[in-house]
Amino acid sequence: MEYPKIITKLPGPKATEIIERESRILSPGIGVKLFPLVPKRGFGALIEDVDGNIFIDFLAGAAAASTGYSHPKLVKAVQEQVALIQHSMIGYTHNERAIRVAEKLAKISPIKNPRIIFGMSGSDAVDMAIKVSKFSTRRPWILSFIGAYHGQTLGATSIAAFQSSQKRGFSPLMPNVIWLPYPNPYRNIWGIDGYEEPNELINRFLDYLENYVFSHLSPSDEVAALFAEPIQGDAGIVVPPENFFKEVQKVLNDLGILLVMDEVQTGIGRTGKWFASEWFSVEPDLIIFGKGVASGMGLSGVIGRKELMDLTSGAALLTPAANPVVSAAAEATLEIIEEENLLENALKVGNFIKKRLEEMKEVFEVIGDVRGKGLMIGVEIVKDRESKKPDPELTGKICWRAFELGLILPSYGMFQNVIRITPPLVITQEIAEKGLEIMERAIKDALAGKVERKVVTWH
């Protein structure tokens, strides 16, 4: 198959008509429309739109389409299950397929002998993790990080701190939340080069936690949990120092505070391990999962230490959660990841992508930082490397030009200047190389002033 293949001006006529219809009927609250893209079908790491244009996909539906599109095993499992029964509610009856999925998640989890509750999206799973944290500790305060994107339900919005616009008009939100600076090695509030001095960055954070937060904001014995993304996603693929969470967990354990890892985006093989927590040698008390576990088909949940998960009966009841069809999708997804060695593929192709990006960094002064694990990679675009000043305008134009050339390449980050690379885990090195060629051309065209538009991003 030829890829990419752009046969119309973008957006094409059919896409334009559908986009106009959507604007008349759907609330803008449903999402941030990164591209004027109307997918019709997909295959592997490629997407065809309604006008017949074929794109390489470096987004994977917000890192959710873990097994790509139309994987035969996934299609077969879902078709067979929906022909039998499409709904049985685990809140009232028993679903063997959901049990098998839970057993598999328990097996691959870094938490020993866990219990699991199911949800439908990362957002509601975050809300459930908040409930578990408060119920099990009987403590009122939650710690979270600046830059965290935890979702859009009320609880998730309350602890998130990605863009302030996401909270406008919704107050009062959940009280008793304290936000901490994330230890971004490239760009942090202390001005420390965390790549050269990782221990200094860690120590500065621990000092802040003890001497500012616990001394002046909340007593430590009233803090239930610290919620963290092991690698911050929407903030710009921010990877903390290797020993950060290990050192933080020592402090938390001494104080009886839970470590809750939000692995909605980083989990299920995205970083080359089942869960990104494994990169940092920690065993969280709770892990939140979602997105890729059912290849984007609407399953999420919380994996937790057994003694923490003894909730009141029905306290985590959600009608469609882990229904037979989505459980079939999850079971197939987990099997595909194992059978096709997609953890290894994420590492192999991810390392190839990062190597090529580092080569581009040598050529383009505007590439300030390249970071990530596996197939979760960020490229920070700056005015120049010395000042590190973010360049969201150039970032948006690079991504728009890539789209025109047939590559779905989103921009986001706390300052809208990070290019996000989170393709399906099934992507091949050949497709990745073609995508990187397009990205390189897009950078050249944007720098040459040949690009007039830019992509939409979070603001």
Side-chain angles (χ1 to χ4, degrees):
M1 174 180 292
E2 180 186 348
Y3 66 88
K5 185 172 72 172
I6 304 301
I7 60 176
T8 71
K9 181 182 177 181
L10 298 175
K14 292 181 180 177
T16 298
E17 190 268 335
I18 292 171
I19 291 167
E20 289 174 353
R21 284 169 53 199
E22 179 181 291
S23 69
R24 293 193 294 267
I25 194 67
L26 292 179
S27 164
I30 64 170
V32 179
K33 302 295 185 177
L34 306 178
F35 304 95
L37 177 67
V38 184
K40 180 180 180 180
R41 63 184 182 130
F43 18 90
L46 305 175
I47 287 178
E48 181 180 344
D49 77 358
V50 290
D51 292 290
N53 299 301
I54 297 175
F55 300 84
I56 296 170
D57 183 18
F58 271 14
L59 174 60
S66 50
T67 59
Y69 305 102
S70 305
H71 193 290
K73 186 181 182 78
L74 179 72
V75 171
K76 184 173 184 287
V78 170
Q79 287 177 335
E80 288 179 351
Q81 181 58 61
V82 79
L84 291 172
I85 185 170
Q86 85 283 1
H87 177 66
S88 66
M89 182 182 165
I90 62 170
Y92 292 159
T93 59
H94 304 276
N95 176 351
E96 185 182 4
R97 205 145 202 177
I99 295 167
R100 290 204 300 265
V101 171
E103 288 170 340
K104 180 62 180 177
L105 289 169
K107 184 178 179 182
I108 63 176
S109 162
I111 300 175
K112 299 179 184 68
N113 191 31
R115 292 293 183 270
I116 292 166
I117 51 182
F118 283 118
M120 297 169 290
S121 73
S123 297
D124 61 51
V126 168
D127 277 26
M128 288 191 289
I130 293 171
K131 292 175 77 172
V132 172
S133 300
K134 291 191 172 188
F135 187 82
S136 62
T137 65
R138 295 301 198 271
R139 296 179 176 187
W141 286 88
I142 298 290
L143 304 180
S144 186
F145 282 101
I146 297 169
Y149 176 87
H150 290 301
Q152 297 294 346
T153 50
L154 192 70
T157 297
S158 297
I159 68 169
F162 170 50
Q163 296 291 344
S164 61
S165 61
Q166 298 305 296
K167 299 186 179 186
R168 180 177 287 117
F170 300 126
S171 293
L173 296 170
M174 186 182 78
N176 298 80
V177 182
I178 297 169
W179 292 277
L180 313 171
Y182 199 82
N184 182 340
Y186 181 71
R187 189 187 296 280
N188 57 74
I189 65 168
W190 299 286
I192 296 169
D193 185 335
Y195 295 125
E196 294 294 327
E197 298 182 281
N199 291 333
E200 177 62 22
L201 182 56
I202 293 170
N203 290 336
R204 199 68 66 90
F205 172 85
L206 294 175
D207 176 73
Y208 181 91
L209 186 64
E210 179 182 356
N211 294 314
Y212 289 87
V213 176
F214 294 149
S215 296
H216 303 288
L217 300 181
S218 170
S220 60
D221 60 1
E222 292 194 6
V223 176
L226 167 64
F227 278 65
E229 297 164 278
I231 298 172
Q232 282 199 325
D234 287 46
I237 315 293
V238 182
V239 184
E242 183 179 352
N243 291 325
F244 174 70
F245 284 111
K246 190 186 298 184
E247 295 301 317
V248 169
Q249 192 170 38
K250 290 178 185 176
V251 174
L252 299 182
N253 286 345
D254 287 343
L255 299 172
I257 300 170
L258 305 179
L259 175 61
V260 182
M261 286 295 209
D262 181 347
E263 296 242 27
V264 172
Q265 186 170 164
T266 56
I268 317 298
R270 171 56 52 191
T271 68
K273 293 185 182 291
W274 280 113
F275 294 96
S277 301
E278 299 171 61
W279 284 109
F280 303 102
S281 303
V282 291
E283 180 182 331
D285 298 291
L286 302 174
I287 290 176
I288 306 165
F289 65 90
K291 287 190 186 293
V293 70
S295 297
M297 284 188 62
L299 182 70
S300 69
V302 181
I303 306 170
R305 289 195 287 114
K306 179 181 178 181
E307 60 270 26
L308 303 175
M309 303 293 280
D310 192 19
L311 297 176
T312 303
S313 178
L317 184 153
L318 296 167
T319 301
N323 65 66
V325 177
V326 78
S327 294
E331 190 171 24
T333 296
L334 296 171
E335 289 175 0
I336 291 165
I337 291 173
E338 278 195 324
E339 292 167 1
E340 299 187 7
N341 299 315
L342 295 187
L343 300 185
E344 292 86 346
N345 190 64
L347 288 175
K348 176 187 169 187
V349 180
N351 287 336
F352 168 76
I353 291 172
K354 281 193 290 184
K355 182 175 182 293
R356 284 281 287 109
L357 291 171
E358 289 289 353
E359 292 169 358
M360 288 187 211
K361 184 180 174 184
E362 293 298 313
V363 177
F364 301 109
E365 176 73 13
V366 296
I367 296 180
D369 196 28
V370 174
R371 54 194 181 236
K373 299 279 190 184
L375 287 172
M376 186 175 182
I377 299 167
V379 182
E380 183 149 348
I381 303 298
V382 294
K383 297 281 188 181
D384 60 82
R385 214 166 289 158
E386 184 176 353
S387 73
K388 294 186 180 180
K389 186 175 181 181
D391 196 337
E393 185 77 15
L394 179 62
T395 310
K397 287 183 175 180
I398 292 168
C399 294
W400 178 260
R401 182 64 177 138
F403 178 65
E404 290 182 316
L405 296 171
L407 174 66
I408 300 170
L409 186 71
S411 71
Y412 67 165
M414 288 183 69
F415 308 102
Q416 300 92 46
N417 72 314
V418 178
I419 294 172
R420 168 183 185 166
I421 300 176
T422 56
L425 303 184
V426 296
I427 193 170
T428 63
Q429 187 168 308
E430 180 184 9
I431 293 176
E433 170 64 21
K434 185 65 177 177
L436 292 168
E437 289 173 4
I438 293 172
M439 179 176 164
E440 186 167 15
R441 180 179 164 189
I443 294 173
K444 291 177 180 177
D445 287 352
L447 287 171
K450 296 179 180 179
V451 187
E452 295 181 358
R453 288 187 61 176
K454 61 179 182 176
V455 296
V456 176
T457 188
W458 289 89
H459 55 82

